[in-house]
Amino acid sequence: MAIPIKNEAGIAGMREACAVASTVLYQLREHVKPGITTYDLDQVGRDLIAGLGARSACYGYQVGSRRFPAHTCLSVNEEVVHGIGSLKRVLQDGDIIALDVVVEYRGYIGDNAITVPVGTVSPVRAKLLSVTEEALRLGIAQAKVGNRIGDISAAVQVHVEKHGYGVVRDMVGHGVGISMHEEPQIPNFGRRGKGDLIKPGMTLAIEPMVNTGSWRTRTLRDGWTIVTADGADSAHFEHTVLTTAQGPEVLTQPRVAEPVSIHALD
Ligand code: MF3
Ligand code: CO
């Protein structure tokens, strides 16, 4: 199977879906504060997605006989990805939480994630967030026509390991379009010059998952939540990127520099 190349209509559809995905993500972020449960946060996500006329691509997402039961993925501290909102999980000052929003809008899928502090976090946690976000930025910069997927992977891995962190290996970034997961796989580790050639019109979800300890992970008994094997913290940032002759275009880039708080009008 070849990597899908989006035509004009496909690119227009991806732009819209990704704009919805980033709007939801940045509005959801406004609700992260000590005292909220991750269940309530997921309900906010559900309502934001519905309010924009979109559908969660996570809700009901099927792997084998299991269906993902939440509308967003909310992963706290040692949880890496695919955390399920719970009434029992009350966010505490000093936590970090990864918000992963995947929406389907008019037949196209936008995928993005950020990890944010809850209240005030330790310098150690703040550094994990900034290193992971920077790894994403460096990976995106390699998503250039004529490069190979391994150039993205290597850029992420080199940056992460330079800081002594572990880059998760058993989950990878991916093409995204009319399905949540399309070709190619985009590992966050690998070698420059290896892998598929990057051509114009690819839409790629680049998503480093970075652990302060070992790269190893395990799955909780809920069948979904991925946690670090050693219990150390983890962070996750993700953008959907369009490859163009002029360079990578981040389709999930929020439109405003400072997201407008929905409370700003009070
Ligand atoms: N961004 C995640 C991914 O690309 C979203 C998964 S949704 C879930 O795999 F349903 F699998 F949780
Ligand atoms: Co993804």
Side-chain angles (χ1 to χ4, degrees), residues 129-210:
L129 303 193
S130 61
V131 168
T132 308
E133 188 168 23
E134 179 70 359
L136 172 57
R137 196 186 66 76
L138 291 167
I140 290 170
Q142 293 299 317
K144 291 189 291 199
V145 170
N147 271 6
R148 290 183 179 271
I149 295 298
D151 294 317
I152 300 173
S153 307
V156 169
Q157 182 180 18
V158 165
H159 185 71
V160 169
E161 294 183 351
K162 190 170 81 189
H163 287 89
Y165 296 149
V167 70
V168 171
R169 295 176 184 232
D170 26 23
M171 267 143 331
V172 297
H174 50 93
V176 56
I178 56 174
S179 304
M180 180 157 63
H181 296 132
E182 299 182 347
E183 287 200 50
Q185 294 198 356
I186 308 174
N188 293 298
F189 61 98
R191 298 183 71 82
R192 288 188 193 287
K194 301 286 182 190
D196 287 301
L197 188 62
I198 298 173
K199 297 177 181 168
M202 294 179 176
T203 45
L204 306 175
I206 302 174
E207 51 177 319
M209 289 151 269
V210 174

Side-chain angles (χ1 to χ4, degrees), residues 17-262:
C18 288
V20 171
S22 77
T23 299
V24 170
L25 182 58
Y26 282 83
Q27 291 186 355
L28 182 60
R29 168 191 201 156
E30 297 287 307
H31 293 262
V32 171
K33 40 184 76 88
I36 192 171
T37 68
T38 55
Y39 177 85
D40 286 326
L41 211 45
D42 185 62
Q43 294 296 107
V44 171
R46 180 197 64 177
D47 293 347
L48 288 169
I49 293 166
L52 291 169
R55 183 187 78 77
S56 166
C58 293
Y59 186 76
Y61 180 78
Q62 200 169 352
V63 176
S65 60
R66 284 206 182 83
R67 289 180 179 276
F68 191 73
H71 305 269
T72 60
C73 298
L74 303 173
S75 309
V76 182
N77 298 343
E78 79 287 356
E79 296 171 355
V80 180
V81 288
H82 303 170
I84 299 166
S86 163
L87 281 169
K88 290 188 218 142
R89 188 88 195 220
V90 182
L91 292 185
Q92 311 286 322
D93 187 57
D95 283 345
I96 53 174
I97 180 169
L99 316 172
D100 190 348
V101 170
V102 197
V103 303
E104 182 184 322
Y105 183 74
R106 298 189 176 172
Y108 291 94
I109 293 183
D111 188 357
N112 62 172
I114 51 176
T115 304
V116 295
V118 181
T120 310
V121 299
S122 68
V124 173
R125 283 185 163 162
K127 184 178 174 208
L128 172 65
L129 303 193
S130 61
V131 168
T132 308
E133 188 168 23
E134 179 70 359
L136 172 57
R137 196 186 66 76
L138 291 167
I140 290 170
Q142 293 299 317
K144 291 189 291 199
V145 170
N147 271 6
R148 290 183 179 271
I149 295 298
D151 294 317
I152 300 173
S153 307
V156 169
Q157 182 180 18
V158 165
H159 185 71
V160 169
E161 294 183 351
K162 190 170 81 189
H163 287 89
Y165 296 149
V167 70
V168 171
R169 295 176 184 232
D170 26 23
M171 267 143 331
V172 297
H174 50 93
V176 56
I178 56 174
S179 304
M180 180 157 63
H181 296 132
E182 299 182 347
E183 287 200 50
Q185 294 198 356
I186 308 174
N188 293 298
F189 61 98
R191 298 183 71 82
R192 288 188 193 287
K194 301 286 182 190
D196 287 301
L197 188 62
I198 298 173
K199 297 177 181 168
M202 294 179 176
T203 45
L204 306 175
I206 302 174
E207 51 177 319
M209 289 151 269
V210 174
N211 304 345
T212 51
S214 153
W215 57 265
R216 290 177 193 281
T217 64
R218 65 185 178 87
T219 307
L220 293 187
R221 289 175 67 173
D222 64 20
W224 290 100
T225 309
I226 311 291
V227 297
T228 56
D230 59 11
D233 291 333
S234 188
H236 176 215
F237 283 81
E238 176 173 25
H239 272 305
T240 301
V241 175
L242 170 69
T243 58
T244 83
Q246 290 77 41
E249 182 184 331
V250 179
L251 297 182
T252 44
Q253 188 67 47
R255 302 295 129 142
V256 283
E258 275 300 296
V260 177
S261 164
I262 57 167

